[in-house]
Amino acid sequence: MDTATTPATAVILVAAGSGQRLGYGMPKARVPLGGEPILMHALRGIVASGVASQVCVALPEGDGVLRALCDDFRTELVDGGPLLTLVDGGASRADSVRAAMAVLEPGTQAVLVHDAARALTPESVFQRVVEALAAGAKAVIPVIPVVDTVKTVQPTTGDGAAIAPELVTGTAHRETLRAVQTPQGFDLATLRRAHEGAAGFDASEAAAVTDDAMLVERLGVPVHAVRGASQSLKITTPLDLIIAEGLLEGPLGVRWVEG
Ligand code: C5P
């Protein structure tokens, strides 16, 4: 990709989550993976992809450990590398995205929003998203096919970990389903407009905003899907961490596992 002709592209790395489902008793971004915090894998992946003029990391408010790690990482960045900016995240993921958008450099035209929990996303996924934006799309998401049959239910709990039996209300047609990943790429003006509509959400409405593309869909702006990668899993549960460790230790190395 010719980065010299690519318009200024910021990457927002949202890393302000508590990581409760991982059960480590610390913010997920700090949990070690292959001997290094999850956040550092995500940061290195972004920089290696070469797509970012600025990387803005939303950190858990007041987390001095992660802030110090990012400050150290800044000293490793070479001349011509991205500007690294840190902000305190908010109560919801969408709040963290808005806090980061507020400090993007003037002149930024495109923005990618990436979950720090997707620490092993290959460079090629970043590049596919940026290429689709450069080709004129206003919103781009990486996706992978769904392997399970997916049903809708009347939930008995909100977190998907229900033990009580639930009533099945329907079966989705699998060929039309995709599992959605990050980085999600947007024309910055479009993403700002999409988030304006969500700024007044109450806590439960905000919690239901699980990605940025859904806010853009509400504007009626077309969202385009490009190929993601299975190793770009969102590290959420202890099992995900085991898989991610296995990918790092694999004989070919995680960057080759695409598919
Ligand atoms: O909890 P969830 O799976 O939605 O988190 C997705 C990503 O959003 C994680 O990388 C997490 O650190 C980030 N997040 C955030 N601010 C929050 C909640 C989540 O930056 N308040």
Side-chain angles (χ1 to χ4, degrees), residues 14-17 21 28 58 90-93 96 115-117 234 236:
V14 281
R21 286 169 291 183
K28 195 193 307 186
S92 70
R93 184 186 181 282
S96 296
D115 289 340
K234 183 160 81 166
T236 307

